């Protein structure tokens, strides 16, 4: 220890008290010297590793290869590797041990002995790269949910009620209870597959678990019926819900860590004839929020929409059914205009993502904090920009319009099929046409279409009848091919991987305002929009089919008129 202490002081120029403190922490908690020193001094971890590499003549790697073999997971506990920040890396043409602390001799010797890797080089690597590689390896090699179900039978019910005391990593959980393992695996598999929801659905003689991938529900697994009560109870315990109350709906939330992803899970239970139905909405908090340019909005809509969201006042509405990406678009818009010189406040139900620098209010009907009451209070907080999660009633619509007319820029959403229908919906709510004409700046209608998997994409000659449904003429399709996905392991044999938006932007010019004042119907408003150059949802979808982004069937599924 004395020798390595002197090394850090003399060779690396680190203060003696910092080195002594780092060694104490290593002795007490087994933490890495390098990582501890980088946390308690001004030294950057990568710079520290570079210096160590030069002095000790050890190679440095900033990242690890993605194709590492995971055989070691059978003999090495995940807790051992995470504690000592080391991972064995074997690829088709190389083999080494990635370490963060070159002075961690004993654990390194143990690892070599357990693997039989006596003569193998060490490589210095940052903590995050090692943790990511460990998480990836153990996530890939965990038992599948189907395998765990073979272990499920009558088990000790006490095991189900072990509380999650803190947001621990699900991959570290070594519980022997099959139901706990099943729940953990359901969550880790859903996060790995990038699912948005998990549905646990009870029937007379069966129990079905499904997950929603890219907006479509797929079967996940079918546990035995007798597991139903234990499975539901475990989830309710994790969400701090009342496990004894099975007659009323309940809502809760779970905060989890799966590998290096922080996940927020919204839990909703609903009593049915055959037991409680549970739906889990998965929000990956570590995912990077999309910017406006990532939404897939073509330039002819992106530029005017960008201009409208920078207006001084007025209302910008985003419309579409549930799950069409309205909130994502609004968050991207807020992020793009979020600067220190403007005050942005939102009222949402629920707050899906936290945005730094923006005041976000959660609706709570139990204490009479509704969209309308929240919006009324927000106006007194001197905002420049207001986001109302949804206009659900006349009161909210009236306050939003009054806010827009008194110098605020208001963003909100409506559940309508297209942009023109948003105006007739507001009129149906009892809003005067002159208020709509004078307050609304733009209405963006949108849908999400699935993107063809690039790994199994193939071209084919389309049926002309199908292309005509999208408004494409036979002449436009002459000599052209369209694409579809055959289905492969990378896309779970669906033929699709990821989603992008199709958009319809209605701008309120003088002619459009005159139409609204004469209470014209949605069809007249839409026709005028098309005359003004508006691209409809179906037309934008057809363009994305011709570009090979999505399929004819997918566009027709989400944008049929």
């Amino acid at each position: 220890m004395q020798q390595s202490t002197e090394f850090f002081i003399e060779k690396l120029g680190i203060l003696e008290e910092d080195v002594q403190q780092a060694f104490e922490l290593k002795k007490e908690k087994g933490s890495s010297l390098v990582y501890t020193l980088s946390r308690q001094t001004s030294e950057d971890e990568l710079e520290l590793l570079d210096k160590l590499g030069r002095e000790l003549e050890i190679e440095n790697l900033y990242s690890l290869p993605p194709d590492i073999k995971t055989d070691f997971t059978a003999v090495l506990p995940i807790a051992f590797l995470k504690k000592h920040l080391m991972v064995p890396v074997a690829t088709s043409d190389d083999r080494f041990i990635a370490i963060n602390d070159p002075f961690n001799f004993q654990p390194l010797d143990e690892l070599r002995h357990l693997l039989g890797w006596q003569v193998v080089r060490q490589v210095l690597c940052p903590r995050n790269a090692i943790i990511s590689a460990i998480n990836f390896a153990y996530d890939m090699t965990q038992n599948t949910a189907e395998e765990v179900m073979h272990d499920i039978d009558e088990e000790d019910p006490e095991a189900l009620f072990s509380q999650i005391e803190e947001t621990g990593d699900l991959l570290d959980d070594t519980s022997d209870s099959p139901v706990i393992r099943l729940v953990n695996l359901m969550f880790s598999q859903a996060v790995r597959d990038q699912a948005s929801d998990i549905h646990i659905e009870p029937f007379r003689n069966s129990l079905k678990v499904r997950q929603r991938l890219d907006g479509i529900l797929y079967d996940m697994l079918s546990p035995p019926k007798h597991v139903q009560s234990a499975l539901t109870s475990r989830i309710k315990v994790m969400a701090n819900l009342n496990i004894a109350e099975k007659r009323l709906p309940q809502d809760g939330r779970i905060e989890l860590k799966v590998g290096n992803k922080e996940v927020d899970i919204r839990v909703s239970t609903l009593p049915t004839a055959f037991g409680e139905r549970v739906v889990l909405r998965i929000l990956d908090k570590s995912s990077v929020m999309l910017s406006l340019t990532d939404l897939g909005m073509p330039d002819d809509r992106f530029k005017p929409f960008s201009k409208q969201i920078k207006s001084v006042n007025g209302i910008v509405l985003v419309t579409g059914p549930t799950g069409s990406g309205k909130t994502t678009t609004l968050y991207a818009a807020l992020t793009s205009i979020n600067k220190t010189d403007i005050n942005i406040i939102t009222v949402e139900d629920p707050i899906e993502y936290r945005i730094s620098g923006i005041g976000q209010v959660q609706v709570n009907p139990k204490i009479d904090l509704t969209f309308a009451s929240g919006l009324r209070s927000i106006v007194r907080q001197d905002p420049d920009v207001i986001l109302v999660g949804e206009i659900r009633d006349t009161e909210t619509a009236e306050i939003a319009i009054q806010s827009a007319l008194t110098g605020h820029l208001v963003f909100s959403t409506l559940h309508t099929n297209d942009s023109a229908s948003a105006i007739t919906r507001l009129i149906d709510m009892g809003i005067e046409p002159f208020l709509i004409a004078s307050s609304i700046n733009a209405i963006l209608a949108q849908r999400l279409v699935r993107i063809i998997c690039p790994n199994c994409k193939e071209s084919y000659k389309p049926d002309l009848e199908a292309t005509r449904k999208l408004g494409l003429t036979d002449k436009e399709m002459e000599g052209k091919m369209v694409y579809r996905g055959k289905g492969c392991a990378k896309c779970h044999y669906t033929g699709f991987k990821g989603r992008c938006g199709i958009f319809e932007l209605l701008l309120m010019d003088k002619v459009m305002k005159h139409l609204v004042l004469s209470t014209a119907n949605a069809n007249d408003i839409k026709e005028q929009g098309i005359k003004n150059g508006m691209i409809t949802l179906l037309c934008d979808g057809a363009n994305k089919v011709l570009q090979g982004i999505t399929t004819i069937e997918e566009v027709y599924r989400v944008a049929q008129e």
Side-chain angles (χ1 to χ4, degrees):
M1 175 180 162
Q2 184 62 33
Q3 192 176 356
S4 48
T5 307
E6 288 170 2
F7 175 86
F8 277 101
I9 297 166
E10 292 172 13
K11 300 285 187 184
L12 303 186
I14 297 172
L15 294 173
E16 185 177 354
E17 59 193 59
D18 288 332
V19 177
Q20 294 289 358
Q21 196 177 345
F23 270 100
E24 286 300 318
L25 281 169
K26 177 181 170 63
K27 190 176 177 182
E28 187 183 324
K29 298 181 180 177
S31 49
S32 158
L33 276 174
V34 174
Y35 183 65
T36 305
L37 282 168
S38 70
R39 291 288 298 274
Q40 67 187 36
T41 67
S42 57
E43 287 279 348
D44 179 73
E45 186 190 7
L46 296 179
E47 289 175 7
L48 200 52
L49 288 170
D50 275 342
K51 289 179 185 177
L52 279 168
R54 283 195 298 272
E55 290 292 338
L56 301 170
E57 297 182 353
I58 301 176
E59 184 187 345
N60 247 304
L61 273 182
Y62 294 133
S63 61
L64 294 172
D67 56 341
I68 68 171
K69 293 177 182 174
T70 59
D71 313 356
F72 65 85
T73 57
V75 291
L76 294 170
I78 187 172
F80 172 83
L81 295 178
K82 281 190 173 181
K83 180 181 178 183
H84 299 296
L85 287 183
M86 53 180 65
V87 63
V89 177
T91 62
S92 51
D93 54 3
D94 197 8
R95 195 167 77 165
F96 58 88
I97 298 173
I99 58 172
N100 186 256
D101 182 354
F103 298 98
N104 226 357
F105 304 118
Q106 191 177 336
L108 188 60
D109 288 341
E110 285 177 34
L111 187 146
R112 282 180 168 146
H113 175 72
L114 287 166
L115 292 174
W117 289 14
Q118 295 307 325
V119 184
V120 69
R121 76 185 197 282
Q122 304 163 43
V123 169
L124 290 174
C125 203
R127 175 186 182 274
N128 286 345
I130 292 173
I131 292 290
S132 292
I134 294 168
N135 285 334
F136 170 80
Y138 283 85
D139 196 17
M140 293 301 288
T141 55
Q142 276 197 9
N143 293 337
T144 63
E146 287 86 349
E147 287 169 355
V148 171
M149 284 194 299
H150 293 307
D151 300 334
I152 290 178
D153 211 330
E154 298 303 320
E155 62 167 320
D156 177 15
E158 289 297 316
L160 298 174
F161 306 121
S162 60
Q163 288 281 0
I164 296 182
E165 291 176 8
E166 56 184 62
T167 310
D169 190 339
L170 226 61
L171 301 180
D172 293 349
D173 195 331
T174 56
S175 171
D176 291 330
S177 164
V179 171
I180 292 178
R181 281 163 57 213
L182 178 63
V183 171
N184 291 353
L185 285 165
M186 268 168 39
F187 287 145
S188 62
Q189 188 176 320
V191 170
R192 189 170 61 207
D193 293 346
Q194 296 181 314
S196 60
D197 302 84
I198 299 172
H199 291 229
I200 300 167
E201 302 163 334
F203 300 100
R204 185 183 295 277
N205 299 312
S206 63
L207 182 65
K208 184 180 279 189
V209 179
R210 298 193 289 172
Q211 63 178 353
R212 192 179 290 280
L213 299 173
D214 294 331
I216 305 292
L217 278 169
Y218 296 97
D219 286 344
M220 197 177 182
L221 56 143
S222 296
K225 178 71 175 172
H226 72 79
V227 176
Q228 180 182 319
S229 178
L231 190 64
T232 307
S233 293
R234 176 59 187 164
I235 290 167
K236 286 167 87 171
V237 166
M238 293 172 79
N240 291 316
L241 299 178
N242 182 357
I243 60 166
E245 181 54 80
K246 300 180 181 181
R247 302 160 302 167
L248 292 171
Q250 294 186 68
D251 293 304
R253 63 183 288 189
I254 303 168
E255 286 189 348
L256 288 178
K257 212 172 158 201
V258 182
N260 47 5
K261 290 176 183 280
E262 286 193 11
V263 180
D264 198 1
I265 298 169
R266 302 279 157 77
V267 182
S268 171
T269 70
L270 182 74
T272 69
F274 303 113
E276 286 180 287
R277 194 178 190 279
V278 183
V279 173
L280 306 154
R281 165 60 58 91
I282 301 166
L283 298 168
D284 182 358
K285 291 194 286 189
S286 57
S287 65
V288 179
M289 198 174 296
L290 291 176
S291 65
L292 269 181
T293 49
D294 297 328
L295 298 176
M297 197 183 291
D299 266 0
D300 58 355
R301 271 141 288 169
F302 175 73
K303 286 177 181 173
F305 184 70
S306 297
K307 184 181 176 183
Q308 292 299 333
I309 64 172
K310 290 169 186 165
S311 302
V312 177
N313 55 26
I315 297 177
V316 176
L317 284 176
V318 181
T319 78
T322 302
S324 59
K326 300 185 296 295
T327 304
T328 301
T329 299
L330 287 175
Y331 276 170
L334 285 183
T335 306
S336 70
I337 63 169
N338 184 16
K339 296 183 179 67
T340 53
D341 58 348
I342 62 169
N343 180 21
I344 303 174
I345 306 180
T346 76
V347 53
E348 304 172 60
D349 184 24
I351 297 171
E352 294 201 7
Y353 293 98
R354 314 275 177 188
I355 310 174
S356 178
I358 290 178
Q360 295 173 274
V361 178
Q362 168 73 56
V363 165
N364 188 350
K366 289 178 185 174
I367 56 169
D368 200 31
L369 177 53
T370 60
F371 279 119
S373 63
L375 183 51
R376 206 178 286 112
S377 301
I378 280 174
V379 175
R380 295 194 287 270
Q381 289 280 316
D382 186 31
D384 299 295
V385 180
I386 299 167
L387 166 66
V388 188
E390 186 185 337
I391 293 177
R392 292 180 182 171
D393 52 46
T394 307
E395 190 183 5
T396 309
E398 285 173 346
I399 303 166
I401 286 170
Q402 289 302 324
S403 302
L405 293 173
T406 52
H408 303 94
L409 178 62
V410 180
F411 293 122
S412 193
T413 69
L414 263 180
H415 288 275
T416 60
N417 288 332
D418 59 13
S419 50
S421 303
I423 290 169
T424 52
R425 174 74 192 280
L426 288 170
I427 291 170
D428 289 343
M429 281 183 175
I431 305 300
E432 293 290 346
F434 76 89
L435 289 174
I436 296 170
S438 54
S439 63
I440 291 180
N441 295 351
I443 304 167
L444 180 77
Q446 69 176 69
R447 299 287 188 280
L448 290 176
V449 290
R450 292 180 291 169
I451 298 168
I452 300 167
C453 172
N455 192 55
C456 60
K457 193 174 185 178
E458 63 173 8
S459 61
Y460 72 100
K461 188 78 178 167
D463 173 32
L464 290 176
E465 188 60 41
T467 56
R468 285 183 201 126
K469 281 183 178 179
L470 293 186
L472 295 168
T473 63
D474 296 356
K475 191 174 181 181
E476 283 177 305
M477 291 308 299
E478 203 172 298
K480 288 190 178 168
M481 306 288 276
V482 295
Y483 295 85
R484 63 188 169 199
K486 287 187 291 186
C488 63
K490 287 192 176 178
C491 62
H492 304 286
Y493 299 95
T494 62
F496 297 97
K497 188 78 176 170
R499 289 187 290 178
C500 74
I502 57 173
F503 302 94
E504 173 183 298
L505 181 64
L506 179 69
L507 297 169
M508 297 293 287
D509 62 3
K510 287 181 182 177
V511 179
M512 198 64 72
K513 287 181 179 183
H514 179 72
L515 265 179
V516 173
L517 285 168
S518 61
T519 61
N521 63 38
N523 289 333
D524 292 342
I525 293 167
K526 186 170 187 174
E527 280 175 25
Q528 183 58 46
I530 292 168
K531 282 180 190 173
N532 291 352
M534 180 179 83
I535 308 291
T536 65
L537 287 168
L538 205 61
C539 186
D540 191 22
N543 290 336
K544 284 186 166 63
V545 167
L546 293 176
Q547 291 164 27
I549 295 170
T550 191
T551 65
I552 294 169
E553 296 76 18
E554 185 65 8
V555 171
Y556 199 67
R557 177 180 72 84
V558 302
Q560 57 184 312
E561 297 177 343

